[in-house]
């Protein structure tokens, strides 16, 4: 045996009699392979995977948070990445995580409400209780039943026989602004008494006075121009009207009527009694800046 015919050599002879040494390639790449059925298929063919079906009831976590009005989607991504968001008690930092129906989402410890924020201003007539509880007869919720699908509730109270403006919302930040004990939001009332308010009583209410050791203060008090001294304008930041009755009962006056005519810059203009409207963007922005 010659050296060129030793182990590892490969001698090929062509039809013309000439010969040459060539290495045989065992790599087919994407060349077709004939199968027993007579047709060909690529050697590296793979069956495409079916796309994963998405659940229409699931919502991306950043969108869920943004829908609550807390922040934008981009800001929500930052909050998620920094570990401020939890789902069902577990911190979630995964981008693209989807929230399922019934999941409890919290941002910085507070429950996230996925509803779109709604702000409804009602001009309440007499005869309706300010409550969202059932079994109380006619309530203000009956008057705003068609205003929105959001779970709104009234901020503060007006007595059943009082009338005027009430703001409804599902925005907890706005609710807190109204109920803040230091700042609050001013409300202006038109009050009619059973008799003229004496000047000395007017001054005491204006400067502040104590009832059972507690200081009672108002923002403003005035007589109504062109009316008798039985009609009073009173501005307070308290969210209820119980304080109004407390003030005048202390000075032995009976209240004939109470009408809330303004909440901050919001008035009854273009809102007939018993009707409501949605706040405009400008009205809402002005309210949030207080």
């Amino acid at each position: 045996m010659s050296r060129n015919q030793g182990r590892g050599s490969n001698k090929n002879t062509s039809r013309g009699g000439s010969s040459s040494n060539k290495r045989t390639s065992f790599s087919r790449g994407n060349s077709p392979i004939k199968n027993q059925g007579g047709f060909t298929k690529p050697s590296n063919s793979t069956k495409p995977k079916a796309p994963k079906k998405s659940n229409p009831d699931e919502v991306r976590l950043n969108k869920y948070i943004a829908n609550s009005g807390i922040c934008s989607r981009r800001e929500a991504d930052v909050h998620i990445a920094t570990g401020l968001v939890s789902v069902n008690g577990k911190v979630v930092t995964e981008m693209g995580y989807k929230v399922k129906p019934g999941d409890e989402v919290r941002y910085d410890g507070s429950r996230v409400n996925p509803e779109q924020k709604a702000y409804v201003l009602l001009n309440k007539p007499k005869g309706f209780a300010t409550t969202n509880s059932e079994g109380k007869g006619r309530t203000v919720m009956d008057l705003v039943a068609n205003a929105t699908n959001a779970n709104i509730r009234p901020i503060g109270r007006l007595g059943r026989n009082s009338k005027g403006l009430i703001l409804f919302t599902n925005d907890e930040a706005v609710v807190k602004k109204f109920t803040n004990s230091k700042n609050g939001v001013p409300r202006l009332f038109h009050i009619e008494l059973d008799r003229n308010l004496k000047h000395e009583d007017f001054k005491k209410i204006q400067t502040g006075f104590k009832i059972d050791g507690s200081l009672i203060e108002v923002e403003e008090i005035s007589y109504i121009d062109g009316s008798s001294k039985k009609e009073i304008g009173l501005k307070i930041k308290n969210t209820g009207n119980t304080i109004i009755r407390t003030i005048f009962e202390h000075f032995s006056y009976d209240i004939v009527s109470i009408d809330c005519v303004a909440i901050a810059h919001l008035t009854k203009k273009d809102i007939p009694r018993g009707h409501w409207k949605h706040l405009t963007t400008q009205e809402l922005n002005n309210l949030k800046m207080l």
Side-chain angles (χ1 to χ4, degrees):
M1 181 182 293
S2 65
R3 287 184 181 179
N4 1 358
Q5 292 178 325
R7 183 178 296 177
S9 67
N10 185 19
K11 184 176 181 180
N12 295 316
T13 304
S14 65
R15 183 174 297 179
S18 62
S19 64
S20 63
N21 291 334
K22 295 183 181 179
R23 292 184 180 179
T24 302
S25 172
F26 294 95
S27 173
R28 288 186 175 272
N30 290 324
S31 61
I33 300 175
K34 182 177 288 189
N35 65 10
Q36 294 179 352
F39 61 89
T40 60
K41 62 180 180 180
S43 61
N44 64 341
S45 64
T46 57
K47 187 177 181 180
K49 293 182 179 180
K52 186 178 179 181
K53 293 183 179 180
S54 60
N55 187 338
D57 294 326
E58 295 181 356
V59 182
R60 287 176 67 95
L61 184 55
N62 62 350
K63 182 179 179 181
Y64 188 95
I65 295 171
N67 284 348
S68 73
I70 293 174
C71 60
S72 68
R73 287 197 197 185
R74 182 172 297 180
E75 291 169 331
D77 284 336
V78 176
H79 298 323
I80 293 168
T82 53
L84 290 175
V85 179
S86 67
V87 179
N88 299 327
K90 295 182 179 179
V91 173
V92 173
T93 57
E94 174 190 342
M95 294 296 110
Y97 183 93
K98 289 193 174 182
V99 179
K100 302 177 182 63
D103 282 351
E104 181 184 270
V105 180
R106 290 184 177 272
Y107 164 68
D108 202 18
S110 298
R111 181 81 181 262
V112 175
N113 184 349
E115 291 181 331
Q116 291 285 353
K117 300 304 181 189
Y119 310 87
V120 177
L121 187 63
L122 170 71
N123 187 356
K124 174 189 174 301
K126 287 184 178 181
F128 290 82
T130 306
T131 180
N132 54 357
S133 300
E134 297 180 358
K136 300 292 184 179
R138 296 192 303 174
T139 74
V140 291
M141 301 307 299
D142 298 323
L143 298 172
V144 298
N146 297 324
T148 176
N149 291 326
N151 187 28
I152 58 174
R153 61 187 177 93
I155 302 178
R157 290 180 178 273
L158 285 177
R160 186 179 291 273
N161 292 320
S162 300
K163 54 191 177 183
L165 295 177
I166 300 178
L167 181 63
F168 297 74
T169 187
N170 58 344
D171 188 337
E172 290 301 321
V174 172
V175 174
K176 288 180 181 178
K177 182 178 288 290
F178 272 80
T179 55
N180 186 292
S181 59
K182 292 183 178 180
N183 299 319
V185 175
R187 299 195 298 168
L188 178 61
F189 292 87
H190 181 178
I191 301 164
E192 183 181 354
L193 303 175
D194 63 328
R195 56 193 176 90
N196 291 345
L197 179 63
K198 296 178 181 178
H199 181 70
E200 56 267 30
D201 294 336
F202 178 98
K203 295 300 292 184
K204 289 177 182 177
I205 296 172
Q206 186 179 51
T207 56
F209 62 96
K210 287 187 176 182
I211 298 179
D212 298 329
S214 298
L215 181 63
I216 306 296
E217 294 180 297
V218 301
E219 297 297 307
E220 295 178 16
I221 185 171
S222 62
Y223 292 112
I224 302 297
D225 292 340
S227 300
S228 70
K229 293 189 182 319
K230 293 192 298 183
E231 297 188 45
I232 308 299
L234 186 71
K235 183 182 288 186
I236 62 173
K237 288 185 176 178
N238 190 287
T239 55
N241 67 346
T242 304
I243 187 64
I244 298 175
R245 298 193 179 278
T246 300
I247 290 171
F248 291 104
E249 286 177 2
H250 179 74
F251 295 101
S252 301
Y253 296 91
D254 289 331
I255 295 176
V256 176
S257 66
I258 296 176
D259 187 358
C260 182
V261 297
I263 299 175
H265 57 280
L266 304 172
T267 69
K268 297 187 294 183
K269 183 181 179 181
D270 300 326
I271 312 178
R273 195 78 72 187
H275 290 69
W276 52 264
K277 75 164 191 174
H278 291 282
L279 296 192
T280 66
T281 301
Q282 187 61 55
E283 288 172 333
L284 178 59
N285 288 340
N286 290 343
L287 189 64
K288 289 184 175 181
M289 288 174 62
L290 292 175

